[in-house]
Amino acid sequence: MLTHLRAVAFGLSALVLAAPAPAQQPYSLSSILGFTYPDNLVAARAGQRIAWVLLQRGTRTISVADGPEFRPRSLVTYPDDGQEITSLQFSADGERLVYARGGDHGSNFPAANNLIPNPTSSPIEPKLDIWS
């Protein structure tokens, strides 16, 4: 009986190994930039509300969802200007969302002279702002 099971297992493994691999799509810049990256998920202390930042194709969108369905809706969308959105925080009653916009909050060291990143080469120096 054990020999028979080994033969069946061997036969099945041979079939699996002989099967052609599915065709893989080549990586492209568009597919890499199109990857959606959620970040900074926070929950309100009061009520059933969550918020997060969604980065896709360089556009940063702040989204919120209310329970119990938690259907996402966009609050604000910022263009691809290299400014991060972090430190999302709900007010005590859960009605307001406060966040920081500007800078490179995930860096390992401050930029020279504490300059804010300016990847678009704007003549107006970007600032770190607090929004609500």
Side-chain angles (χ1 to χ4, degrees):
M1 177 74 169
L2 187 59
T3 306
H4 179 67
L5 288 175
R6 285 185 187 155
V8 170
F10 178 75
L12 288 174
S13 64
L15 286 174
V16 169
L17 293 175
Q24 292 187 359
Q25 298 287 333
Y27 284 110
S28 67
L29 183 58
S30 178
S31 67
I32 293 169
L33 291 175
F35 181 77
T36 302
Y37 183 75
D39 196 15
N40 288 283
L41 176 65
V42 295
R45 291 182 188 164
Q48 293 183 332
R49 181 170 285 166
I50 58 173
W52 65 96
V53 177
L54 195 63
L55 175 62
Q56 185 175 28
R57 297 194 175 283
T59 301
R60 289 176 171 85
T61 301
I62 297 178
S63 299
V64 296
D66 295 312
E69 297 89 17
F70 291 104
R71 289 194 184 112
R73 67 182 192 279
S74 298
L75 284 182
V76 63
T77 299
Y78 291 100
D80 185 8
D81 62 359
Q83 303 308 309
E84 290 195 32
I85 299 172
T86 61
S87 306
L88 275 68
Q89 183 82 37
F90 280 104
S91 60
D93 62 3
E95 292 298 315
R96 289 196 173 274
L97 181 67
V98 179
Y99 59 94
R101 180 172 186 273
D104 185 13
H105 305 171
S107 66
N108 292 330
F109 52 88
N113 299 320
N114 289 321
L115 291 175
I116 303 292
N118 187 7
T120 61
S121 299
S122 172
I124 300 168
E125 183 181 338
K127 303 287 183 208
L128 174 62
D129 295 318
I130 308 292
W131 291 83
S132 174

